[in-house]
């Protein structure tokens, strides 16, 4: 293996690359060994990946305790980990349901332009989930989410914006022109 030498010397980036090589060759057990070493060395990207792996249970048995452990480590600096951990708090999955903690984690991820986190914040304000229902705030988050999506990708938040402007209320003025504009963006 071309990465083995450096991985064994403790280079967490090479441990991650080596793990991916093992995954590519369907050697999941060895891949997990090297991912775990890389995560334990402090590589936030890998910590986030391991958290997701332990949630999904495709490669290993699902283990929410381990998932939360790795996501907590990665959440100090990684938007995807913040988002995944927030989802667990929103659902009370493996942790006590806490909408305040979830919102804080989503806000951190949103500051890093994580489109799903921004969309989820919009949903919280649209539905009054842990916050006062506020369509204006929801629309602001949905618009931020739409702008955060990679060019060429469809932004589902445009549909949510169209729906909000069609109904109005909760701090947002009904605007059928804007609703149509956002609906057209969905259809493109």
């Amino acid at each position: 293996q071309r990465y083995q030498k450096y991985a064994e010397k403790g280079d967490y980036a090479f441990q991650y690359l080596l793990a991916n090589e093992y995954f590519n060759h369907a050697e999941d057990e060895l891949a997990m060994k090297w991912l775990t070493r890389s995560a334990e060395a402090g590589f936030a990207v890998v910590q986030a990946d391991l958290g997701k792996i332990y949630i999904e249970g495709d490669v290993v048995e699902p283990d929410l305790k381990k998932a939360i452990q790795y996501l907590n480590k990665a959440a100090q600096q990684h938007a995807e980990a913040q988002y995944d951990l927030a989802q667990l708090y929103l659902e009370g999955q493996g942790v006590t349901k806490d909408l305040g903690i979830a919102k804080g984690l989503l806000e951190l991820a949103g500051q890093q332009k994580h489109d799903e986190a921004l969309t989820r914040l919009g949903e919280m304000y649209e539905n009054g989930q842990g916050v006062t229902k506020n369509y204006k705030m929801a629309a602001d988050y949905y618009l931020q989410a739409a702008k955060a999506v990679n060019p060429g990708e469809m932004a589902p938040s445009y549909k949510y914006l169209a729906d909000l402007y069609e109904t109005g209320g909760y701090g947002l003025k009904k605007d059928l022109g804007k609703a149509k504009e956002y609906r057209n963006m969905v259809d493109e």
Side-chain angles (χ1 to χ4, degrees):
Q1 300 277 355
R2 60 183 173 187
Y3 304 126
Q4 188 89 32
K5 175 180 165 184
Y6 298 104
E8 287 177 354
K9 288 183 179 182
D11 186 308
Y12 62 80
F14 280 101
Q15 291 168 341
Y16 177 66
L17 292 170
L18 183 59
N20 283 321
E21 290 255 324
Y22 282 122
F23 276 132
N24 290 337
H25 292 93
E27 297 183 55
D28 294 346
E29 193 173 309
L30 284 170
M32 286 299 293
K33 169 188 164 184
W34 288 106
L35 272 185
T36 302
R37 283 190 182 181
S38 182
E40 294 303 324
F43 197 6
V45 170
V46 178
Q47 292 167 340
D49 286 351
L50 271 176
K52 190 88 142 180
I53 286 169
Y54 280 112
I55 289 171
E56 293 172 351
D58 294 334
V59 177
V60 295
E61 286 294 314
D63 186 333
L64 287 176
K65 185 176 178 182
K66 283 186 180 180
I68 291 163
Q69 171 191 341
Y70 284 115
L71 290 174
N72 271 321
K73 289 179 182 180
Q76 305 303 313
Q77 56 188 323
H78 194 272
E80 187 68 22
Q82 293 160 349
Y83 173 75
D84 289 339
L85 193 54
Q87 291 296 98
L88 296 177
Y89 276 103
L90 283 168
E91 298 164 12
Q93 190 178 0
V95 294
T96 302
K97 185 175 183 173
D98 190 321
L99 301 180
I101 291 174
K103 181 178 175 273
L105 287 163
L106 290 170
E107 287 170 341
L108 287 172
Q111 289 169 8
Q112 298 170 68
K113 309 288 187 240
H114 190 284
D115 62 294
E116 291 173 295
L118 292 164
T119 299
R120 193 66 187 88
L121 282 164
E123 291 170 346
M124 289 180 78
Y125 278 98
E126 181 177 358
N127 300 315
Q129 186 182 22
V131 296
T132 302
K133 190 181 275 197
N134 184 326
Y135 283 4
K136 173 80 173 99
M137 288 290 293
D140 288 345
Y141 278 117
Y142 289 148
L143 189 55
Q144 287 179 55
K147 290 177 179 178
V149 171
N150 292 326
E153 288 184 23
M154 211 294 273
S157 51
Y158 283 130
K159 180 199 176 309
Y160 304 144
L161 278 164
D163 293 344
L164 284 178
Y165 278 106
E166 280 178 358
T167 59
Y170 297 100
L172 185 72
K173 184 179 176 187
K174 184 175 182 174
D175 187 331
L176 296 179
K178 278 190 177 182
K180 184 178 180 182
E181 175 187 336
Y182 290 127
R183 184 91 48 221
N184 288 338
M185 294 173 118
V186 173
D187 295 335
E188 289 178 1

